[in-house]
């Protein structure tokens, strides 16, 4: 632990080196010349974009942020993580497509409250004579939460003196962005440095046309007028499982169709199996190694024609609503990248160097528009690092240490390597596990499904990966993120005092199980 503290002090010292300060100050003064030109222009006001804009302004750079939607926060806040979790976050928002982590978070929370009231409250001595869903009220709560958060970002823009332009921007040159404003006019915004933070869009499937009524994207799934009796989710990734959880809790019969042999393929295999069993316990059905080859919407509902991924006999699956959640793709349509010659890879992602600069000098890209995890918090880190480079400072994002969270119940959170990845690397390792069934806090609140799993290098005990399935796994994971950043050992965590009774004690016990033996099992 002393070594970690020493390393932290050294890193802090590096940030405040006199030469670094002088270099940044000179760079910033050089930016202040032209009154009609911005130092930084950000296209996209999602998590990556608005954070980049605020950070740039804080560093003394004249900054403008362009956002088509007219509300800041992007996909994550307006129609994704936050809305569903009042019921996960993606990235800097596309200028047009409005899936929001905000809406999803709202609905995840609201639907969980209903599910708890119906299934868990009686065992705690809390009984109702009548319990019902008021879907309009639930949606109103979602909208209220999101509205307050988006207004909060506008307040931060004013506080930090970021100019906010509402409209759709496209490049006319590497230093000029033409904006068709929401008021119907047009203006040209000039910038010495332009950051593309336009996020991602829903990945389409051949022959499956999204109408946002019977066949919906994640956006449409957050605004259904009634609880569908039968919901089919195409895609067993983060968003599909979260959306399925929302409507399953509210009474839908949910079937998940997945082409791959496993759900959430990036998840640790052992944890994945336990996670799937928990979802099946919640009556979610899975059809793995299955592909959709036909869609019929001529009747009242939807009829999907399915067949095994490897080919074989076809079958029909009927649903009232079908959610297409087969992943996301970078959103760059209409930006005029071809006009200025910005290069993209085969997946449509903008190619950047270690400073987030594209092949065009002065043009940068962050978030979902570039390679790396499509997560809101990754986009935020990209944004901060990018403007630090622009300001002559040092920025850094380690994509191997970006935590991922599935916001179902229980949640699943992870950081670092899975056991499969460690095996593939040929590294000798140890594994420590601790179930929440042996955690006093989890048992006391009758919510003890899940475990903590820690992987550490055998010779050095350095932590390689941490995986948690628990009601609040998304909060517990950050102790592990910090430990990985500072190269901690499992013994470092095990010898750190954890308050009792807390869920976090399971992390300590798993660490004890990794390098020695746990106490409470």
């Amino acid at each position: 632990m002393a070594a970690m503290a020493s390393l932290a002090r050294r890193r802090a010292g590096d940030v405040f080196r006199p030469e670094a300060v002088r270099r940044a100050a000179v760079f910033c003064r050089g930016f202040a010349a032209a009154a009609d030109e911005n130092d930084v222009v950000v296209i996209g006001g999602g998590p990556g974009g608005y954070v980049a804009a605020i950070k740039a302004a804080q560093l003394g750079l004249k900054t403008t942020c362009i956002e088509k939607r007219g509300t800041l926060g992007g996909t994550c806040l307006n129609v994704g993580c936050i809305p569903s979790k009042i019921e996960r976050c993606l990235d800097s928002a596309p200028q047009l497509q409005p899936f929001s982590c905000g809406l999803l978070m709202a609905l995840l929370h609201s639907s969980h409250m209903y599910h708890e009231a119906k299934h868990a409250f009686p065992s705690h001595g809390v009984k109702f004579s009548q319990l019902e869903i008021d879907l309009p009220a639930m949606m109103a709560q979602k909208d209220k939460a999101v509205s307050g958060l988006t207004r909060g970002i506008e307040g931060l823009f004013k506080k930090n003196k970021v100019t906010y332009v509402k409209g759709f921007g496209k490049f006319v040159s590497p230093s000029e962005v033409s904006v068709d404003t929401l008021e119907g006019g047009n203006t040209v915004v000039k910038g010495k440095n332009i950051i593309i933070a336009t996020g991602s869009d829903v990945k389409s499937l051949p022959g499956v046309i999204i109408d946002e009524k019977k066949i919906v994207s994640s956006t449409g799934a957050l605004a259904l007028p009634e609880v569908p009796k039968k919901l089919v989710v195409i895609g067993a990734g983060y968003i599909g499982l979260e959306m399925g959880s929302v409507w399953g809790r509210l009474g839908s019969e949910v079937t998940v169709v997945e082409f791959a042999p496993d759900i959430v393929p990036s998840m640790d295999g052992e944890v994945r199996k336990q996670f799937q069993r928990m979802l099946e316990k919640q009556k979610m059905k899975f059809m793995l190694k299955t592909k959709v080859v036909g869609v019929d919407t001529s009747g009242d509902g939807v009829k999907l024609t399915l067949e095994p991924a490897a080919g074989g006999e076809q079958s029909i699956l009927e649903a009232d609503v079908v959610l297409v959640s087969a992943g996301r793709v970078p959103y760059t349509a209409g930006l005029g990248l071809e006009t200025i010659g910005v290069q993209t890879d085969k997946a449509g992602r903008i190619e950047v160097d270690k400073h987030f600069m594209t092949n065009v000098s002065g043009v940068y890209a962050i978030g979902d528009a570039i390679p790396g995890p499509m997560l809101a918090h990754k986009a935020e880190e990209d944004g901060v690092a990018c403007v630090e480079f622009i300001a002559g400072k040092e920025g850094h994002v380690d994509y191997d240490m970006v935590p991922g969270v599935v916001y179902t119940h229980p949640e699943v959170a992870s950081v670092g390597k899975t056991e499969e990845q460690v095996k593939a690397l040929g590294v000798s390792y140890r594994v420590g596990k601790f179930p929440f069934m042996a955690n006093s806090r989890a048992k006391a609140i009758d919510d003890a499904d899940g475990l903590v799993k820690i992987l550490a290098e055998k010779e050095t005990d350095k932590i390689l990966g941490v995986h948690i399935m628990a009601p609040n796994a998304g909060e517990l994971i950050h102790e592990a993120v910090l430990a990985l950043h500072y190269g901690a050992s499992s013994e470092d965590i095990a010898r750190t005092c954890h308050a009792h009774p807390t869920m976090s004690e399971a992390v300590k016990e798993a660490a004890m199980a990794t390098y020695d033996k746990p106490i409470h099992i």
Side-chain angles (χ1 to χ4, degrees):
M1 297 301 290
M4 290 171 62
S6 175
L7 178 58
R9 286 192 295 271
R10 289 201 303 272
R11 289 187 175 181
D14 288 344
V15 173
F16 294 104
R17 289 195 313 269
E19 63 267 30
V21 174
R22 286 196 299 270
R23 179 160 51 92
V26 170
F27 202 84
C28 290
R29 283 198 298 272
F31 268 137
D36 61 341
E37 185 176 31
N38 294 277
D39 298 324
V40 175
V41 174
V42 183
I43 306 176
Y50 86 74
V51 167
I54 291 172
K55 185 63 178 179
Q58 290 175 344
L59 291 173
L61 310 180
K62 183 180 179 182
T63 306
T64 292
C65 182
I66 302 166
E67 169 56 50
K68 161 68 178 179
R69 188 176 288 118
T71 54
L72 294 163
T75 290
C76 180
L77 180 56
N78 287 276
V79 284
C81 306
I82 304 303
S84 72
K85 289 159 183 146
I86 297 178
E87 155 62 277
R88 170 178 133 98
C89 259
L90 296 171
D91 180 82
S92 305
Q95 295 190 68
L96 293 174
Q97 298 299 327
F99 169 76
S100 160
C101 302
L103 296 171
L104 180 56
M105 182 60 80
L107 294 181
L108 279 167
H109 181 67
S110 295
S111 62
H112 177 64
M113 292 176 69
Y114 170 76
H115 189 269
E116 287 288 283
K118 185 175 182 179
H119 298 283
F121 280 16
S123 64
H124 291 272
V126 180
K127 297 183 178 181
F128 298 91
S129 58
Q130 185 177 357
L131 182 67
E132 61 182 15
I133 299 171
D134 186 342
L135 194 58
M138 189 177 291
M139 294 297 180
Q141 158 61 17
K142 168 200 70 177
D143 295 339
K144 178 181 178 182
V146 172
S147 176
L149 290 168
T150 56
R151 288 199 304 270
I153 298 173
E154 288 195 31
L156 291 173
F157 270 19
K158 291 178 181 178
K159 176 183 176 181
N160 290 281
K161 296 181 173 57
V162 175
T163 301
Y164 178 23
V165 177
K166 299 180 181 181
F168 188 92
K170 61 181 178 181
F171 284 98
V172 291
S173 79
S175 61
E176 296 175 302
V177 179
S178 174
V179 183
D180 293 328
T181 65
L182 296 185
E183 291 75 21
N186 179 272
T187 186
V188 174
V189 179
K190 298 181 179 180
K192 296 176 182 177
N193 301 277
I194 299 178
I195 302 173
I196 301 168
T198 48
S200 60
D201 195 2
V202 175
K203 183 179 180 179
S204 61
L205 292 175
V208 182
I209 300 175
I210 296 174
D211 60 12
E212 299 296 13
K213 294 179 181 178
K214 292 181 181 180
I215 301 178
V216 301
S217 67
S218 46
T219 299
L222 290 167
L224 296 178
E226 60 185 14
V227 179
K229 184 177 180 181
K230 292 184 178 181
L231 172 69
V232 171
V233 179
I234 303 176
Y238 283 44
I239 299 171
L241 297 180
E242 290 168 352
M243 287 291 187
S245 292
V246 168
W247 294 107
R249 294 168 189 166
L250 298 179
S252 293
E253 181 183 314
V254 180
T255 301
V256 180
V257 178
E258 171 58 52
F259 182 84
D262 299 301
I263 67 172
V264 197
S266 60
M267 190 178 289
D268 180 88
E270 180 182 14
V271 176
R272 182 198 303 124
K273 289 178 181 177
Q274 291 200 29
F275 180 45
Q276 184 173 335
R277 284 198 294 269
M278 286 305 307
L279 294 177
E280 290 171 338
K281 186 178 177 180
Q282 296 169 16
K283 299 182 179 181
M284 189 178 290
K285 300 176 183 178
F286 293 92
M287 299 181 70
L288 305 177
K289 298 182 183 179
T290 302
K291 60 183 177 181
V292 177
V293 295
V295 180
D296 180 5
T297 59
S298 59
D300 292 334
V302 182
K303 291 183 179 180
L304 298 177
T305 302
L306 310 176
E307 71 176 42
E313 185 177 348
Q314 295 185 346
S315 61
I316 301 296
L317 180 62
E318 297 187 12
D320 298 295
V321 174
V322 173
L323 165 62
V324 178
S325 185
R328 299 181 70 83
V329 294
Y331 182 81
T332 57
L335 286 177
L337 299 185
E338 64 286 346
T339 301
I340 60 172
V342 170
Q343 293 178 354
T344 59
D345 63 17
K346 293 181 179 179
R349 300 172 300 189
I350 298 173
E351 296 179 344
V352 295
D353 64 16
K354 65 180 182 180
H355 293 162
F356 299 94
M357 186 184 289
T358 69
N359 62 299
V360 178
S361 181
V363 178
Y364 300 77
I366 62 172
D368 284 7
I370 67 173
M374 286 187 167
L375 298 167
H377 42 286
K378 176 264 193 185
E380 292 179 359
E381 298 301 319
D382 283 357
V384 170
C386 180
V387 296
E388 285 177 334
F389 283 126
I390 290 172
K393 297 177 178 291
E394 292 296 324
H396 176 69
V397 184
D398 188 340
Y399 291 163
D400 289 332
M401 296 186 187
V402 175
V405 185
V406 185
Y407 293 100
T408 50
H409 191 90
E411 297 176 352
V412 180
S414 62
V415 65
K417 305 295 185 186
T418 65
E419 187 166 0
E420 291 74 19
Q421 290 172 331
V422 173
K423 285 180 179 179
L425 291 171
V427 177
S428 296
Y429 66 97
R430 290 197 299 258
V431 179
K433 292 175 280 189
F434 191 82
F436 279 93
M437 286 294 291
N439 175 265
S440 59
R441 178 70 176 270
K443 291 288 287 182
I445 64 175
D446 193 25
D447 203 349
D449 292 316
L451 80 161
V452 179
K453 178 178 179 179
I454 297 178
L455 301 158
E457 189 176 4
K458 188 173 183 179
E459 183 177 353
T460 65
D461 192 36
K462 180 180 178 180
I463 297 172
L464 302 174
V466 179
H467 309 275
I468 305 174
M469 183 170 77
N472 61 339
E475 303 295 338
L476 294 177
I477 196 64
H478 297 102
E479 177 179 10
V481 177
L482 186 61
L484 262 72
H485 266 289
Y486 283 98
S489 66
S490 65
E491 186 176 357
D492 285 327
I493 292 180
R495 293 190 179 277
T496 300
C497 184
H498 288 61
H500 173 80
T502 62
M503 305 285 272
S504 64
E505 287 179 285
V507 179
K508 175 185 174 74
E509 294 269 5
M512 293 173 70
T514 306
Y515 90 96
D516 189 18
K517 293 180 180 180
I519 297 295
H520 292 97
I521 191 171

